[in-house]
Amino acid sequence: MIAAHLPALQIAVPLIAAPICLLLRRENLSWAWATFISWVVFALAWVMLEKTLTGGAFNYELGGWEAPYGIEYRVDALNAFILLIVAAIGAVVMPYARASVAREIPEHKRGLFYTAYLLCLTGLLGITITGDAFNVFVFLEISSLSSYALIALGRDPKALTAAFQYLIMGTIGATFILIGIGLMYQMTGTLNMADLAKRLPAVEDTRPVLAAFAFFIVGVCLKLALFPLHLWLPNAYAYAPSVVTAFLAATATKVSIYVLYRFVFTIFGQSFSFDVIPLESILLVLSLAGIFAASIVAIFQTNVKRLLAYSSVAQIGYIMLGVALVSVAGLTASILHIFNHAIMKGALFLCMGAVYYQIGSVKIEDMNGIGKKMPFTMFAFVIAGLGLIGVPLTVGFISKWYLITAVLEKGWWPVAVLILLSSLLAVIYIWRVVEAAYFKAGDSDDVVVKEAPVSMLIPIYVLTGASVYFGIETSLPLGTAAEAAKQLMGIGG
Amino acid sequence: MAWLGHFNYWIFVFLMMAGFYTVIARGNLIKKIVGLNIFQTSVFLLYITMGKVSGGTAPIVPEGGSEGVVYSNPIPHVLILTAIVVGVATTALGLALIVRIHEAYDTIEEDEIQDIEENANTLENSGGQAS
């Protein structure tokens, strides 16, 4: 009867695997173990997504305690989809990790690295699957604490200050979330999400609920790095080890966005979030400001990982813009872009990891002429970069298309124009890298730079391939995103 | 004088803002962690306060049955126990990072660290690769 316990296994497997990984000690063993577990987790997530798409949402009572008293895991189309994204990125990144980690992390820390990675994976999956508000906080801290440690493993001493800054801001965010959840509990006497959704409308005019909402939204926006609360993100992504950057950029902020969806739409409900409090105007302004400010800052970066990190802040702007539309079409575009951005950014950061592996730097001026020396890596970078711009036949085009359609459905054509203009900024920052890689002669010919090892190229091409494949054959992400959006908006499902 | 009835909440708000201010305003990394601790502790107080039922005792069944016994809500206590553990872990990790930062930069003052980082940036840009 293992099928009945799928939701629990999804969390229990990586959680129990983490201390075992610590005991393995040997670098290769712990890598193999972490890779194996990542694939098991991916398989579990896949089976659960299939199950929700065919049979609808299902619940799991942890330890057999009934729902409002015990902790409940609830899987529906939305979080099964997010689970799949997190698990898939983990499964793709781990085979890549071996070579990259061997280059970037001191030998005695490698076993610990994989342990922290498994804990981070557990936390991210846990936030997504749980149906209990306080459980969200607990898993959030599991994933955050392990990601602070992972970021601090970067070779540059700046990784330490970046991790510290993230620790301060992340903890403030998490504590705000804790205050929000506490106030919600105070007013309703329950922590179960479904139960909260039922009981909150009765007390929604009270000041503690308003305060809870405010604390919660600010806390989550800190975690998901919505402009102008993104200050921790660029340094953390720029100086973390390449594997960590690729994994976190594709998953961590996305999971926080899921938490926002869940609380804003399912728990507080649309009428409270958007009629009582004008959340959509706040999000609209901040996301547009974020798209432009971050894209412009990205143009002036000399460190490509930092450039891509600022681009992530801009992309989060697109995702939140979809939320600000408060329509099924807008949410579909938003959820779709979570998936598409995870693929593209994962691929881009993996490419930069391969470049760092070979030349020990990710600065633009050190990448002159690298297109000839590392043709496969840079070709993948160009393809994934085109996706970021939103060129047709890539996933980036699909998400922008649906976002603009959703915006026009609302009749906000100036916003649609702004989205198109902001894509031009993406052209500029991607072009700067492409220009250096292909059109500038390398100045140090004495250094022999070869292509990255195959174990790194395959994961890069899996993600790059996915970014083209899902740009043409959109039925899986689009169908799931549309279904999830309908459920969030309370239509059908 | 109704506001006196919310005495605990005033303390919560005061501690929260004091801690938050310390985190933002202090440049010394240890002081930042201290501020963060005060900030987190204030939330513990909030949870404990909300669990209190006036006149209530500890939620333990006394000898001779629990008939008519008023007791405090134990759930916030349990929740905050988890949050305390999280707080301890965060503090430990923060302090560990500070030790590493001190090893790397020889200072734990934020502005001095920033100066060192900026100097490193300009050196790298003028002096070619320094990995």
Side-chain angles (χ1 to χ4, degrees):
Chain A
M1 276 315 290
I2 213 148
H5 296 291
L6 275 176
L9 283 173
Q10 181 86 78
I11 306 306
V13 167
L15 186 63
I16 294 167
I20 295 175
C21 187
L22 187 65
L23 294 174
L24 289 174
R25 284 279 166 198
R26 298 258 302 281
E27 178 195 347
N28 285 341
L29 266 179
S30 44
W31 167 76
W33 176 247
T35 311
F36 170 68
I37 294 299
S38 299
W39 280 93
V40 170
V41 164
F42 177 55
L44 289 170
W46 182 263
V47 173
M48 283 209 291
L49 181 64
E50 291 272 296
K51 201 172 159 188
T52 50
L53 288 182
T54 51
F58 57 96
N59 298 345
Y60 180 84
E61 284 157 0
L62 221 59
W65 295 91
E66 271 177 51
Y69 307 107
I71 292 170
E72 178 193 41
Y73 285 177
R74 186 178 160 76
V75 186
D76 60 13
L78 175 63
N79 61 4
F81 191 47
I82 307 282
L83 283 174
L84 184 76
I85 296 171
V86 174
I89 295 291
V92 173
V93 163
M94 266 300 112
Y96 173 100
R98 190 182 184 186
S100 182
V101 164
R103 175 62 55 101
E104 293 182 32
I105 293 171
E107 198 173 348
H108 64 282
K109 286 183 186 154
R110 288 176 201 156
L112 296 172
F113 169 85
Y114 292 113
T115 309
Y117 156 78
L118 283 172
L119 282 175
C120 188
L121 183 67
T122 310
L124 294 172
L125 294 168
I127 300 168
T128 316
I129 203 170
T130 189
D132 183 277
F134 193 78
N135 218 223
V136 168
F137 167 76
V138 174
F139 279 120
L140 190 73
E141 283 295 0
I142 292 178
S143 72
S144 305
L145 285 167
S146 45
S147 55
Y148 307 146
L150 287 171
I151 290 165
L153 283 170
R155 272 172 58 165
D156 198 311
K158 282 178 207 156
L160 297 170
T161 45
F164 188 81
Q165 196 186 15
Y166 183 20
L167 181 133
I168 296 284
M169 296 189 81
T171 306
I172 290 171
T175 309
F176 272 21
I177 291 173
L178 187 62
I179 296 172
I181 292 171
L183 291 172
M184 279 179 229
Y185 177 77
Q186 189 169 24
M187 293 313 291
T188 58
T190 182
L191 288 165
N192 182 283
M193 287 183 184
D195 221 22
L196 269 174
K198 263 186 234 139
R199 295 194 196 181
L200 269 175
V203 289
E204 72 175 22
D205 295 330
T206 56
R207 206 173 287 170
V209 173
L210 292 174
F213 188 76
F215 273 116
F216 193 87
I217 296 296
V218 174
V220 172
C221 287
L222 245 170
K223 291 304 268 188
L224 65 80
L226 179 70
F227 178 86
L229 301 173
H230 66 281
L231 294 172
W232 58 268
L233 188 144
N235 276 349
Y237 283 11
Y239 302 114
S242 308
V243 180
V244 176
T245 310
F247 179 68
L248 289 183
T251 56
T253 47
K254 310 296 176 294
V255 166
S256 301
I257 293 168
Y258 159 77
V259 173
L260 186 88
Y261 290 149
R262 188 53 88 202
F263 276 79
V264 165
F265 288 94
T266 312
I267 295 182
F268 283 101
Q270 272 177 69
S271 62
F272 178 78
S273 305
F274 300 106
D275 297 340
V276 180
I277 291 167
L279 186 64
E280 75 274 26
S281 341
I282 302 170
L283 288 182
L284 181 70
V285 173
L286 289 183
S287 51
L288 282 174
I291 291 170
F292 278 91
S295 299
I296 290 168
V297 175
I299 292 172
F300 296 102
Q301 296 304 311
T302 53
N303 177 324
V304 181
K305 272 169 85 178
R306 227 176 125 90
L307 179 156
L308 292 173
Y310 274 108
S311 149
S312 276
V313 177
Q315 302 292 321
I316 287 161
Y318 291 118
I319 296 172
M320 298 309 288
L321 189 60
V323 179
L325 293 171
V326 204
S327 65
V328 172
L331 269 180
T332 307
S334 176
I335 298 165
L336 197 59
H337 197 52
I338 289 186
F339 177 78
N340 293 345
H341 179 245
I343 292 177
M344 296 183 294
K345 244 336 141 27
L348 289 167
F349 275 122
L350 288 184
C351 290
M352 280 306 113
V355 169
Y356 189 86
Y357 182 84
Q358 290 299 357
I359 68 172
S361 164
V362 286
K363 288 189 183 301
I364 288 188
E365 69 262 24
D366 295 336
M367 289 172 61
N368 288 347
I370 204 160
K372 288 196 194 79
K373 292 169 183 162
M374 302 178 70
F376 293 110
T377 306
M378 288 320 288
F379 180 69
F381 185 92
V382 171
I383 299 292
L386 288 176
L388 211 54
I389 296 163
V391 173
L393 298 184
T394 64
V395 283
F397 174 73
I398 302 296
S399 17
K400 288 226 172 93
W401 174 265
Y402 278 96
L403 188 58
I404 288 175
T405 317
V407 168
L408 290 178
E409 194 182 78
K410 280 247 167 186
W412 294 354
W413 59 267
V415 178
V417 174
L418 288 176
I419 293 172
L420 290 174
L421 281 178
S422 66
S423 301
L424 295 177
L425 295 173
V427 176
I428 301 175
Y429 59 71
I430 292 296
W431 173 253
R432 286 192 60 214
V433 182
V434 173
E435 188 192 18
Y438 287 98
F439 298 100
K440 282 187 184 162
D443 45 10
S444 51
D445 288 327
D446 48 316
V447 185
V448 184
V449 177
K450 296 193 302 274
E451 187 51 82
V454 180
S455 71
M456 296 173 92
L457 281 178
I458 290 174
I460 290 175
Y461 272 89
V462 168
L463 286 182
T464 315
S467 83
V468 176
Y469 177 80
F470 289 116
I472 300 165
E473 163 59 42
T474 56
S475 60
L476 170 77
L478 187 61
T480 319
E483 176 66 27
K486 274 187 208 147
Q487 285 178 10
L488 277 181
M489 296 291 289
I491 304 163
Chain B
M1 297 292 273
W3 59 272
L4 258 182
H6 297 296
F7 186 63
N8 283 21
Y9 292 100
W10 287 110
I11 296 180
F12 153 66
V13 171
F14 174 76
L15 282 178
M16 183 175 84
M17 296 324 289
F20 199 35
Y21 176 80
T22 313
V23 174
I24 296 168
R26 294 290 153 180
N28 185 305
L29 300 185
I30 300 271
K31 286 183 184 163
K32 271 186 192 291
I33 291 287
V34 172
L36 203 62
N37 262 304
I38 297 172
F39 181 56
Q40 287 179 306
T41 309
S42 74
V43 183
F44 307 161
L45 188 66
L46 170 72
Y47 270 69
I48 302 299
T49 306
M50 76 173 71
K52 176 68 182 169
V53 176
S54 36
T57 69
I60 302 168
V61 180
E63 278 179 55
S66 58
E67 196 70 27
V69 175
V70 179
Y71 58 89
S72 293
N73 186 350
I75 291 180
H77 298 167
V78 177
L79 297 179
I80 220 58
L81 211 53
T82 316
I84 289 172
V85 175
V86 168
V88 170
T90 311
T91 310
L93 188 58
L95 291 175
L97 282 174
I98 293 174
V99 170
R100 293 277 313 277
I101 289 172
H102 187 254
E103 282 170 7
Y105 292 89
D106 231 13
T107 174
I108 51 167
E109 293 293 332
E110 207 177 30
D111 41 356
E112 290 175 22
I113 292 170
Q114 260 168 7
D115 287 346
I116 295 172
E117 284 185 352
E118 274 161 23
N119 287 340
N121 277 345
T122 47
L123 270 181
E124 262 176 58
N125 289 342
S126 59
Q129 289 109 328
S131 65

